Amino acid sequence: MSERTHVKLELDDIQRGALSPRPTPYAATYILFRIDDREHGRELMRRASAVATSAADTVSPLGETWVSIALTYHGLKALGVAQEWLDTFAWEFRQGMAARANALGDIGESSPENWESPLGTSDVHVVLVALAPDSARLEAAIDHARPAYDALTGVTAIWRQNCHALPTETEPFGYRDGISHPAVEGSGIAGSNPLETPLKAGEFVLGYRDELGGIQTPQPDVLGRNGTYVVFRKLHQRVALFRRYLKDNSTSPDDEELLAAKIMGRWRSGAPLALSPSQDQPGLGADPSRNNAFLFQQDDPGGFTTPGGSHIRRGNPRDSSVAGEPRLHRMIRRGTAYGPPLPEGVLEDDGVDRGLMFAFVGAHLGRQFEFVQSEWMNDGVFFGSGDAKDPLTGSHDGSGDFTIPRRPVRRRLLSLPRFVVTRGGEYCFMPGLTALRWLGDLTD
């Protein structure tokens, strides 16, 4: 029997927000806190350990509802974690997202000086995320969590972003979202692609063996084990601009939808081009047992069905022959919409802020999130396409292009504008529940 079958995660100590797929529909909120008084910050950790939901608690009293707590590097410092222990965390985490802006393509409009305050600053210490099937139960979850920070005058709420998932499961550009989820060994949570072998637990949870055979655990072990790194990013989406670009570069409504599918790698219904190359199949897109059950290399090595530069193929090349072993860069991705949808058919910007709160979960910030963002999303060398960027989320300046393989003549989209602008973000550490209690019991 292989080692893979023996691994069992300590789910009762892992926060549920690290591994559990989200229900549909749902509402969520992100609340950021600054710790001004160390003792009050530690009390917040003690209270939070009783509020945060474990991955073993799959049925909470409020239904599909949970609360998760994460901390930035500055948050751990504010609590008084010793520097010798802080130095054992990933160096990208210690630097913070704002310092990594150039590597991430957060330049120009997306650069940190243009981010929403206080995102990317040393004032952000704690991130509380609450999630529930609807707004009423979300507020109930927040009310349940409120005693964790109410009356702590040394802890200040400094930012909040409310989010939602539509019953259609689409994001602001109109594509079905939240389809792909990796299988994590020992979690008991099935992946969305039956053709993908479960990934080693250490790719997502600290303290377990990863795909390379190593074990990453910040020290002391009681702090690092069963934790994970979480990336939060607020991404503004220029929906009207995207719609206008599609219309201006297509010959008919059908061609417009095909172009949108080639850019994403899926039809807007969620049906993958790999399984439905010539027309949309909404039934396929809505079927979680089929809409992610495909690979690329065997049937489509040249990208004639799903372009190599399309969004989903860049984010997860699956079995494709590319520079960089895809399994080493696999991560859990979650996007939650914010702001009202732009009405159907509107091609002019209405000035309303809308987009995604993006979350990445993984044990390796460098070779997972940062690698994918810099090498796969904002470059094309890995699949032989020079410096071409992701057509949808790449850091474009109006001079980029996107090539769609086609016989007898390939199709090229020119002058790609920036459709997605970073409004801010944070690198966080989501401790295990034991670690939250340990942080609460720290003494000077």
Side-chain angles (χ1 to χ4, degrees):
M1 189 175 290
S2 69
E3 177 190 0
R4 211 179 272 275
T5 62
H6 287 294
V7 174
K8 186 174 179 60
L9 290 174
E10 296 165 359
L11 297 176
D12 59 344
D13 194 45
I14 299 169
Q15 293 196 52
R16 187 171 176 187
L19 297 176
S20 295
R22 294 174 175 179
T24 299
Y26 67 87
T29 194
Y30 290 76
I31 306 176
L32 307 187
F33 297 90
R34 184 185 66 241
I35 297 172
D36 299 310
D37 180 276
R38 180 168 292 174
E39 287 307 316
H40 284 200
R42 291 170 178 171
E43 177 62 22
L44 174 63
M45 295 298 103
R46 286 192 289 271
R47 296 181 184 183
S49 68
V51 170
T53 315
S54 81
D57 181 13
T58 56
V59 182
S60 76
L62 293 172
E64 287 287 344
T65 303
W66 63 84
V67 174
S68 300
I69 308 291
L71 297 103
T72 65
Y73 174 74
H74 294 290
L76 291 174
K77 287 187 70 172
L79 292 173
V81 176
Q83 190 62 48
E84 63 181 294
W85 293 333
L86 291 172
D87 290 342
T88 66
F89 283 80
W91 65 270
E92 298 92 348
F93 169 73
R94 301 198 306 267
Q95 282 197 326
M97 186 184 294
R100 305 293 300 149
N102 286 338
L104 298 175
D106 289 334
I107 56 177
E109 297 171 276
S110 291
S111 62
E113 60 263 28
N114 296 321
W115 287 4
E116 286 185 20
S117 178
L119 298 176
T121 73
S122 59
D123 282 345
V124 180
H125 295 160
V126 180
V127 180
L128 181 149
V129 183
L131 182 145
D134 52 53
S135 296
R137 278 178 280 188
L138 176 64
E139 289 307 315
I142 295 170
D143 287 342
H144 180 64
R146 191 165 280 116
Y149 56 87
D150 263 4
L152 294 176
T153 57
V155 176
T156 305
I158 57 176
W159 187 84
R160 179 172 175 175
Q161 179 66 63
N162 291 330
C163 312
H164 57 270
L166 299 172
T168 56
E169 301 183 52
T170 57
E171 49 73 59
F173 287 138
Y175 296 96
R176 182 181 292 272
D177 199 19
I179 292 175
S180 183
H181 185 87
V184 182
E185 64 168 3
S187 70
I189 300 171
S192 58
N193 187 350
L195 303 177
E196 180 182 64
T197 304
L199 282 97
K200 287 285 197 177
E203 291 297 309
F204 306 102
V205 185
L206 295 160
Y208 299 85
R209 206 166 295 282
D210 62 23
E211 290 286 318
L212 293 175
I215 299 175
Q216 305 296 319
T217 315
Q219 295 300 303
D221 190 73
V222 66
L223 174 60
R225 185 171 177 81
N226 291 322
T228 189
Y229 293 110
V230 183
V231 176
F232 298 112
R233 283 165 75 79
K234 182 175 181 179
L235 303 175
H236 169 67
Q237 293 178 245
R238 291 172 163 163
V239 179
L241 179 64
F242 181 62
R243 290 178 182 177
R244 172 62 67 182
Y245 187 86
L246 290 177
K247 182 172 285 291
D248 289 347
N249 287 274
S250 58
T251 59
S252 67
D254 286 345
D255 186 51
E256 187 175 331
E257 287 306 306
L258 176 61
L259 188 58
K262 290 292 185 179
I263 286 173
M264 174 60 71
R266 294 182 184 273
W267 300 92
R268 295 207 225 215
S269 71
L273 286 170
L275 301 179
S276 184
S278 59
Q279 64 182 15
D280 194 3
Q281 294 187 47
L284 169 61
D287 186 346
S289 69
R290 297 189 296 145
N291 62 14
N292 204 42
F294 61 90
L295 300 174
F296 290 125
Q297 187 63 26
Q298 180 175 341
D299 299 321
D300 188 28
F304 285 95
T305 300
T306 309
S310 63
H311 181 70
I312 68 163
R313 194 157 180 169
R314 282 175 174 270
N316 179 16
R318 302 182 187 227
D319 62 330
S320 297
S321 297
V322 298
E325 167 53 50
R327 288 179 66 85
L328 296 183
H329 312 296
R330 193 80 165 94
M331 51 184 168
I332 295 173
R333 298 179 179 87
R334 301 192 184 105
T336 311
Y338 72 86
L342 185 67
E344 287 295 326
V346 174
L347 299 177
E348 300 299 328
D349 183 31
D350 60 359
V352 176
D353 187 21
R354 59 176 56 85
L356 284 180
M357 281 296 292
F358 171 90
F360 143 81
V361 178
H364 304 276
L365 278 173
R367 69 168 167 84
Q368 291 173 321
F369 174 73
E370 289 209 350
F371 181 92
V372 171
Q373 187 68 18
S374 63
E375 303 300 322
W376 286 356
M377 292 297 172
N378 281 314
D379 208 340
V381 172
F382 78 100
F383 70 101
S385 192
D387 60 358
K389 298 175 174 60
D390 185 295
L392 193 65
T393 65
S395 55
H396 295 289
D397 59 7
S399 63
D401 59 62
F402 172 56
T403 298
I404 301 174
R406 186 177 63 174
R407 294 185 177 94
V409 180
R410 66 183 181 179
R411 183 177 186 179
R412 291 185 70 200
L413 300 180
L414 303 174
S415 305
L416 283 165
R418 187 186 287 257
F419 297 118
V420 178
V421 179
T422 306
R423 296 291 198 211
E426 298 290 341
Y427 282 170
C428 297
F429 169 64
M430 184 178 286
L433 299 181
T434 299
L436 282 174
R437 292 189 287 271
W438 181 86
L439 288 167
D441 291 338
L442 283 174
T443 57
D444 291 326

